Structures are given as structure tokens and as C-alpha cells.
Amino acid sequence: MIAEKYVELNNNLISANLPTEKEIFEEFLLAEGISQQTQVHVEEDSSEEEEEVTISIQVGRQALETAKKFLEQREFTTEDDIRYMRDIIRRLNESVEKSKRQTLLTEYIVLLN
């Protein structure tokens, strides 16, 4: 394999970001009809740079657990809502476990092709 091909391997890979806590709550509120989607046009000052805050997996998991407990304590919450939150937490845990495991040689070979 030539070096250029090796360097270009990552260009074709698809990556996905986990939704933020805000996005999860907005999606939940929209699904329940509690909130309506609105578009807000904000003029950004080009001189100010937005600082992106990275939330750790531990903080995100704790926020999801807290949201699940909150929903479990509310009368308006359905079993589907709780199941949805459990599913998100399960997918987060699976994602963390998958990222921890070592890539198999066969998976690496498939990436090369």
C-alpha cells in the first residue's frame, strides 16, 4: 500500500455524533406535542468566535439518567417515553463499549478495500 492511499483511508469513513442533551429534550418535547419547532434567526457577530463545549460521556450519561428519573416521576410520562430513554442510554453504552474494543484484522482489511 502506498502512503497516499493509507492517508486517504479516513476520507471515506462516516462518523456520527451523539445528540446533545438539548437536542434530546427538544426531540422529546416535539414528539410529545409539548413544544413546537420554531426557527430563530440570530445575527452573529463575526468578531466573536463560538466556543464549542464538549460534554464527556460520563456527564452525558448522568444527564440521561437524571432525565429518565425525572420522567419516571411524572404522571404525563408513558412507558414508551421511559423505554425511549432506556434505549438512548443503552445505545450510548454500546457505543462506548464498541469504541473500547480492538478492531479485528478482518474489519481493517475491509477498510483497505
Side-chain angles (χ1 to χ4, degrees):
M1 175 187 305
I2 60 174
E4 291 174 351
K5 187 172 183 179
Y6 181 78
V7 171
E8 292 178 1
L9 281 176
N10 285 341
N11 292 345
N12 297 327
L13 297 178
I14 298 172
S15 64
N17 294 330
L18 292 173
T20 64
E21 182 179 344
K22 183 178 178 182
E23 290 169 339
I24 292 169
F25 281 116
E26 287 175 355
E27 182 179 331
F28 175 77
L29 293 174
L30 287 171
E32 292 299 312
I34 297 171
S35 177
Q36 294 181 358
Q37 190 171 15
T38 58
Q39 293 182 352
V40 178
H41 299 283
V42 178
E43 291 183 25
E44 295 184 24
D45 185 3
S46 60
S47 64
E48 293 181 25
E49 293 182 22
E50 285 189 30
E51 183 178 324
E52 187 173 322
V53 177
T54 302
I55 300 172
S56 71
I57 296 293
Q58 183 180 9
V59 170
R61 184 182 291 122
Q62 184 61 40
L64 290 169
E65 290 288 345
T66 301
K68 183 176 75 92
K69 288 178 186 175
F70 170 79
L71 292 173
E72 289 171 340
Q73 297 171 1
R74 301 298 169 242
E75 292 178 12
F76 65 84
T77 305
T78 66
E79 185 58 38
D80 287 340
D81 299 333
I82 304 301
R83 199 173 306 122
Y84 180 74
M85 290 300 291
R86 285 184 190 134
D87 185 49
I88 291 173
I89 294 167
R90 179 188 54 77
R91 287 187 289 155
L92 172 63
N93 291 336
E94 287 173 357
S95 172
V96 169
E97 287 303 314
K98 184 177 179 181
S99 69
K100 286 181 183 177
R101 75 176 177 88
Q102 184 174 1
T103 304
L104 299 174
L105 182 57
T106 55
E107 292 173 350
Y108 179 73
I109 292 171
V110 169
L111 288 175
L112 294 177
N113 293 328

